C-alpha cells in the first residue's frame, strides 16, 4: 500500500480533476489524502441557498467531507488560507488569501503532511492552474516546492487535454447530446488546459464515472443539477470525464503512464 496525496485549491476541485484517480487508488488498496488550500469563501451561491446565519465556507467544508467519504479518502486537511477569487478581483489583495501566501511557508505546511504520510505520489495542477486562476497557480508553485522539501519524487500535474475537450464538446453537439449554447467555452483571453502534446499521463477512470459524478453532487453549493457536468447523459459524462490527464516532469514525449500508482 502506498499513499496518494491530492492537493487542491478549493472544495469541489478534487471532483473535477482527480476524483477518478483517487477512487481508483482506493480500490487498488492505497491510502488517499485530500489537502485543500482554502475553504472556497469566494464562491457564489443562489439567493436563499444557505440557511440563516450559515457561512459559505462552513457549507463547503461539509461538502468536502461528504465528497471525500464517497471517494474513499481517509484524511482531509485544510491549510487555512482564504479563497483569492478570480484573477484581478479585489480579493487577490487580501493578505490572508492563498495567492498572497509565502510559497516557502505554505510549502512547508504541505511538506509536513507529505512526510507524515510517507507520500508516494502527489498531485498538483499545471503551471497555469488549468485556466489562470490565482489559487490554482499557487497550488502548482506550493505543491512542487513541497514535494522538493519532503522528497516526494512522483509529482503529477493535473490538467485538461485541450484538444480532447474541444473534440468531445463538438461531438456532443453534433450528436444532439448537448445544445450548442450549453457547450462550455473557456474564458476569453485565457489558455484552458494544456496541448495534448504536453501531456504525459492519461488514466482511464471510466469505471469510476458514477462515483465521480456522485462526488460532484456532494458539492451542491458549487455544482448544481442543471450544470452541464450533471445534466449531460451518463454516456456523455463518461466520455467527457472518463479520462484524467496529467503532466509529470521527465516523462514523455507523449503518453507514457496510465496509472499514477504503478509500481508502488
Amino acid at each position: 500500500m502506498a499513499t496518494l496525496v491530492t492537493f487542491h485549491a478549493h472544495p469541489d476541485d478534487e471532483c473535477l480533476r482527480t476524483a477518478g484517480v483517487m477512487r481508483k487508488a482506493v480500490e487498488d488498496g492505497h491510502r488517499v489524502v485530500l489537502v485543500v488550500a482554502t475553504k472556497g469563501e469566494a464562491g457564489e451561491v443562489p439567493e436563499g441557498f444557505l440557511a440563516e446565519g450559515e457561512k459559505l465556507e462552513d457549507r463547503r467544508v461539509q461538502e468536502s467531507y461528504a465528497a471525500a467519504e464517497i471517494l474513499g479518502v481517509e484524511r482531509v486537511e485544510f491549510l487555512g488560507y482564504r479563497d483569492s477569487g478570480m484573477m484581478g478581483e479585489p480579493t487577490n489583495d487580501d493578505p490572508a488569501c492563498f495567492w498572497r501566501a509565502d510559497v516557502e511557508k505554505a510549502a512547508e505546511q504541505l511538506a509536513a503532511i507529505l512526510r507524515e504520510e510517507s507520500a508516494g505520489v502527489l498531485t498538483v495542477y499545471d503551471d497555469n492552474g488549468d485556466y489562470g486562476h490565482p489559487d490554482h497557480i499557487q497550488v502548482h508553485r506550493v505543491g512542487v516546492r513541497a514535494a522538493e522539501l519532503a522528497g516526494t519524487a512522483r509529482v503529477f500535474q493535473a490538467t485538461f487535454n485541450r484538444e480532447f475537450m474541444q473534440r468531445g464538446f463538438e461531438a456532443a453537439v453534433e450528436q444532439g447530446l448537448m445544445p450548442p449554447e450549453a457547450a462550455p467555452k473557456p474564458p476569453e483571453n485565457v489558455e484552458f488546459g494544456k496541448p495534448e502534446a504536453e501531456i504525459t499521463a492519461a488514466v482511464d477512470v471510466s469505471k469510476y464515472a458514477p462515483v465521480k459524478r456522485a462526488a460532484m453532487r456532494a458539492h451542491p453549493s458549487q455544482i448544481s443539477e442543471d450544470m452541464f457536468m450533471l445534466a449531460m447523459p451518463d454516456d456523455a459524462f463518461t466520455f467527457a470525464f472518463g479520462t484524467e490527464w496529467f503532466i509529470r516532469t521527465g516523462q514523455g514525449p507523449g503518453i507514457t503512464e496510465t496509472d499514477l500508482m504503478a509500481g508502488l
Side-chain angles (χ1 to χ4, degrees):
M1 183 181 73
T3 298
L4 166 66
V5 175
T6 58
F7 183 35
H8 292 277
H10 317 101
D12 81 52
D13 287 338
E14 80 287 348
C15 297
L16 301 174
R17 290 158 183 80
T18 63
V21 295
M22 292 165 75
R23 184 65 191 185
K24 181 180 187 303
V26 169
E27 296 200 5
D28 288 345
H30 301 293
R31 175 177 171 86
V32 175
V33 175
L34 170 63
V35 181
V36 190
T38 81
K39 295 180 180 178
E41 298 90 341
E44 297 181 356
V45 294
E47 185 72 26
F49 180 89
L50 298 174
E52 185 176 354
E54 184 181 20
K55 295 181 179 180
L56 176 58
E57 55 263 41
D58 294 338
R59 170 64 71 90
R60 297 195 72 181
V61 167
Q62 293 172 9
E63 292 174 352
S64 289
Y65 280 101
E69 183 173 357
I70 291 168
L71 295 174
V73 173
E74 295 192 47
R75 178 182 178 185
V76 179
E77 292 287 346
F78 289 86
L79 295 189
Y81 296 95
R82 290 193 64 79
D83 187 342
S84 306
M86 299 298 288
M87 189 69 83
E89 295 292 326
T91 46
N92 297 172
D93 299 323
D94 185 341
C97 78
F98 190 47
W99 180 237
R100 294 293 175 187
D102 179 270
V103 170
E104 202 70 13
K105 179 180 177 182
E108 182 51 49
Q109 287 180 268
L110 178 58
I113 296 172
L114 296 175
R115 294 188 196 103
E116 288 172 13
E117 293 290 344
S118 299
V121 178
L122 172 67
T123 72
V124 296
Y125 304 147
D126 66 47
D127 58 2
N128 190 46
D130 293 333
Y131 58 94
H133 191 295
D135 286 336
H136 293 198
I137 294 172
Q138 193 75 319
V139 161
H140 174 85
R141 294 171 177 170
V142 169
V144 169
R145 178 57 179 148
E148 293 173 349
L149 292 171
T152 304
R154 196 179 293 197
V155 181
F156 288 91
Q157 303 171 40
T159 190
F160 293 110
N161 182 328
R162 195 179 296 166
E163 289 91 341
F164 177 84
M165 277 200 312
Q166 188 60 40
R167 292 193 299 266
F169 290 136
E170 289 173 357
V173 171
E174 289 174 4
Q175 296 170 26
L177 299 174
M178 178 185 294
E181 64 273 12
K185 298 176 178 59
E188 292 183 9
N189 303 317
V190 171
E191 291 292 337
F192 199 90
K194 288 290 184 177
E196 201 162 53
E198 294 183 22
I199 295 172
T200 68
V203 184
D204 180 359
V205 296
S206 55
K207 174 182 177 181
Y208 310 104
V211 177
K212 187 170 183 173
R213 210 170 198 181
M216 290 181 183
R217 285 196 164 97
H219 289 281
S221 71
Q222 303 301 307
I223 306 176
S224 64
E225 286 293 329
D226 58 359
M227 289 185 72
F228 80 97
M229 294 92 77
L230 298 183
M232 64 171 60
D234 290 344
D235 55 350
F237 179 90
T238 300
F239 175 82
F241 295 99
T243 303
E244 291 177 350
W245 312 90
F246 301 86
I247 299 168
R248 183 182 176 195
T249 301
Q251 298 296 308
I255 305 298
T256 59
E257 295 179 286
T258 57
D259 183 352
L260 307 193
M261 310 300 289
L264 297 177

